[in-house]
Amino acid sequence: MAKPASQFVCQDCGAVTLKWAGKCEACGAWNSIVEEAGRQEIPKGLSSGKGRKIEFVGLEGSSAPLPRMLTGIGELDRVCGGGLVPGSCLLVGGDPGIGKSTLLLQATAALSANATVAYISGEEAVDQVRMRAVRLGHAKAKVALASATSLRDILASLDGPDTPQVVVIDSIQTVYADNIESAPGTVSQVRACSAELIRLAKRRGFVLFLVGHVTKDGQIAGPRVLEHMVDTVLYFEGDRGHQFRILRATKNRFGATDEIGVFEMTDRGLSEVANPSALFLAERRGNVSGSCVFGGMEGTRPMLVEIQALVAPSTLSSPRRAVVGWDTNRLSMVMAVLDARCGLALSGNDVYLNVAGGLRIAEPAADLAVAAALLSSASDIPVPADMVVFGEIGLSGEVRAVAQADTRLKEAAKLGFAQALVPSRPRKDKGAGGGGSLKIRSIGHLQDVLELFQPK
Ligand code: TYD
Ligand code: MG
């Protein structure tokens, strides 16, 4: 038998080539191609073989939905779509040191009150995990703990009559299958190990958590392929300089993907943040120019955050634009609209934009708040401290309605805001509903905002 030739696999996108190259032709990544052993022969002529006939059934069936398992950590349950589905696989990604192991240890400890759970660490020794458990106050939790990296051993231990109901593998990059020659953490290893573990999870009906490392540019390391194999992909993000951590679902077969969970990292582990708006606004100082409170939504939950802008004269030939927590292109667009439609030229200024608290905002609804913060900083006139702002800006300067305005207004009213700068609403739910006690200033064009920033 011919010796299986080696193949070259891009560790970023999983593309396979026959020879090594410095740059992956498929995804354009540099220096990501690694030699892996064992190119598989492509099987031929399957159609002539004898297969077993599949039985088709109707969509309407009698199988009762499985009850979801609650972890007891409300934020985690919500991001998962209301609890864990037995037999499902969740991939938890995030930067090193962001708190993945901490979160999963807390979750397993909480789950162990009502379910059998196993925590398999390939990165830390049992004693290290124990030390962490003591710090988290879960030293007495009934978690089956092991330090293992061999897939064969892990499968043998989990496949039995006493299979735990929840299994955590921390991390999938440390697990290796001994029938594959590549090093642990390579695409073929990660793919093969995950496939085996997921198959076992489906067969035995346990919930499988896989921890995945992320690369410099924020992808789960190696395989995007892994994201296709699992049911749910959770990213744990946040600035290590901030104490807030955001758990975000980017894929979920059993729930919505725009939900986020907010945690705070304390010296006793992660604690849930039930009212993120209050926390994000906690350090706001009223009546300073360049600050504006945005009435945002994250999934089904309203979230107020402070947007800060600083416009300063620049000595550089191409002035600096620095954005934290928002899209740089979107900032350029808002600035271009301010320039073309409102005559606010910022081309000679450095512009800094920051979303306070370390949250990352993706909503276009923040446009108006960004514009207000920029105008406020440029004119040195503060946005009223009790005003909340949201609305999308179009290229002609029109301010467009955004979804769930009432929910946003309700949250603002709850937190003691008195006025709101919002898009004029074409629909008839005007002013009614959530707004309540708020004084609503509805505007149709960006020019209407300018009067807020006229010197008195
Ligand atoms: P960890 O869960 O080990 O991160 P990951 O598994 O994602 O790599 O988190 C480690 C960080 O969290 C570390 O920088 C210290 C911090 N931490 C606390 O601040 N308080 C705690 O109680 C714990 C356990 C960790
Ligand atoms: Mg870890």
Side-chain angles (χ1 to χ4, degrees):
M1 209 174 80
K3 186 173 171 288
S6 56
Q7 59 181 356
F8 295 85
V9 182
C10 170
Q11 302 299 304
D12 278 2
C13 70
V16 179
T17 55
L18 292 181
K19 60 182 198 325
W20 191 84
K23 182 184 179 186
C24 172
E25 289 294 329
C27 68
W30 285 94
N31 223 358
S32 63
I33 294 181
V34 167
E35 181 172 6
E36 295 188 6
R39 173 148 49 97
Q40 312 242 298
E41 290 293 314
I42 297 162
K44 300 189 222 73
L46 250 190
S47 57
S48 59
K50 284 207 181 69
R52 202 155 34 92
K53 212 167 171 187
I54 315 172
E55 252 184 63
F56 289 95
V57 294
L59 186 56
E60 213 178 332
S62 58
S63 55
L66 291 164
R68 291 189 181 234
M69 210 185 285
L70 292 179
T71 61
I73 300 179
E75 298 287 295
L76 178 62
D77 287 337
R78 213 196 34 253
V79 175
C80 297
L84 308 173
V85 178
S88 68
C89 174
L90 301 97
L91 177 64
V92 182
D95 289 334
I98 201 78
K100 302 182 291 296
S101 307
T102 307
L103 176 70
L104 289 178
L105 191 58
Q106 284 182 270
T108 42
L111 276 164
S112 69
N114 309 312
T116 49
V117 294
Y119 185 100
I120 301 175
S121 177
E123 301 191 337
E124 289 160 288
V126 168
D127 284 337
Q128 291 173 313
V129 181
R130 279 200 188 127
M131 263 165 60
R132 189 195 296 249
V134 170
R135 182 129 80 99
L136 299 174
H138 288 308
K140 296 245 157 54
K142 283 206 203 66
V143 178
L145 197 61
S147 177
T149 51
S150 159
L151 179 67
R152 199 180 289 277
D153 297 350
I154 294 174
L155 290 176
S157 326
L158 294 180
D159 195 5
D162 52 352
T163 307
Q165 289 166 282
V166 180
V167 175
V168 176
I169 307 282
D170 186 3
S171 66
I172 188 66
Q173 271 90 3
T174 57
V175 179
Y176 73 95
D178 50 20
N179 57 346
I180 298 174
E181 272 180 39
S182 331
T186 52
V187 172
S188 32
Q189 281 285 3
V190 169
R191 199 180 340 194
C193 294
S194 318
E196 289 296 331
L197 287 165
I198 292 169
R199 196 172 315 150
L200 184 65
K202 300 266 181 244
R203 188 153 57 82
R204 288 279 171 189
F206 59 80
V207 180
L208 176 66
F209 279 100
L210 298 177
V211 174
H213 290 198
V214 297
T215 55
K216 287 190 287 302
D217 42 344
Q219 307 282 354
I220 290 186
R224 292 306 307 273
V225 272
L226 201 52
E227 299 193 4
H228 297 292
M229 286 158 58
V230 300
D231 299 304
T232 304
V233 180
L234 305 176
Y235 272 98
F236 210 25
E237 55 187 45
D239 223 7
R240 253 192 288 171
H242 288 288
Q243 73 270 43
F244 308 123
R245 300 283 185 272
I246 315 259
L247 189 67
R248 199 182 283 277
T250 57
K251 164 182 173 178
N252 193 353
R253 289 190 180 139
F254 310 113
T257 53
D258 48 5
E259 288 292 353
I260 68 168
V262 184
F263 296 90
E264 192 176 0
M265 183 60 101
T266 65
D267 57 351
R268 305 204 60 215
L270 292 156
S271 64
E272 299 175 58
V273 176
N275 187 354
S277 304
L279 200 74
F280 286 130
L281 296 180
E283 282 167 47
R284 190 170 66 105
R285 297 175 49 215
N287 274 331
V288 280
S289 66
S291 151
C292 178
V293 176
F294 164 53
M297 292 291 299
E298 290 288 350
T300 53
R301 189 158 56 162
M303 206 165 288
L304 303 192
V305 281
E306 181 188 0
I307 292 186
Q308 303 171 327
L310 180 63
V311 175
S314 178
T315 52
L316 302 169
S317 57
S318 59
R320 203 182 276 273
R321 308 276 179 256
V323 184
V324 178
W326 208 47
D327 182 11
T328 318
N329 293 328
R330 201 84 203 168
L331 173 67
S332 307
M333 191 206 88
V334 171
M335 280 166 47
V337 173
L338 279 172
D339 188 353
R341 311 291 173 191
C342 306
L344 177 78
L346 295 174
S347 53
N349 294 294
D350 289 336
V351 176
Y352 302 90
L353 191 78
N354 177 37
V355 178
L359 191 69
R360 221 177 47 223
I361 301 179
E363 268 195 303
D367 292 352
L368 190 59
V370 171
L374 289 170
L375 283 165
S376 160
S377 177
S379 64
D380 201 21
I381 296 174
V383 179
D386 58 356
M387 177 182 267
V388 64
V389 181
F390 57 84
E392 184 180 343
I393 296 175
L395 287 185
S396 62
E398 84 274 19
V399 176
R400 301 183 178 190
V402 300
Q404 290 169 291
D406 284 345
T407 320
R408 298 169 199 260
L409 292 174
K410 213 183 278 175
E411 175 81 356
K414 206 168 81 189
L415 285 165
F417 284 80
Q419 339 175 24
L421 189 66
V422 301
S424 48
R425 286 187 271 179
R427 281 168 289 145
K428 52 183 181 306
D429 53 350
K430 227 168 65 199
S437 55
L438 287 182
K439 187 172 143 235
I440 308 274
R441 292 172 77 131
S442 49
I443 54 168
H445 195 275
L446 201 46
Q447 270 165 357
D448 307 340
V449 186
L450 292 181
E451 68 187 51
L452 270 179
F453 302 104
Q454 302 298 337
K456 302 229 164 70

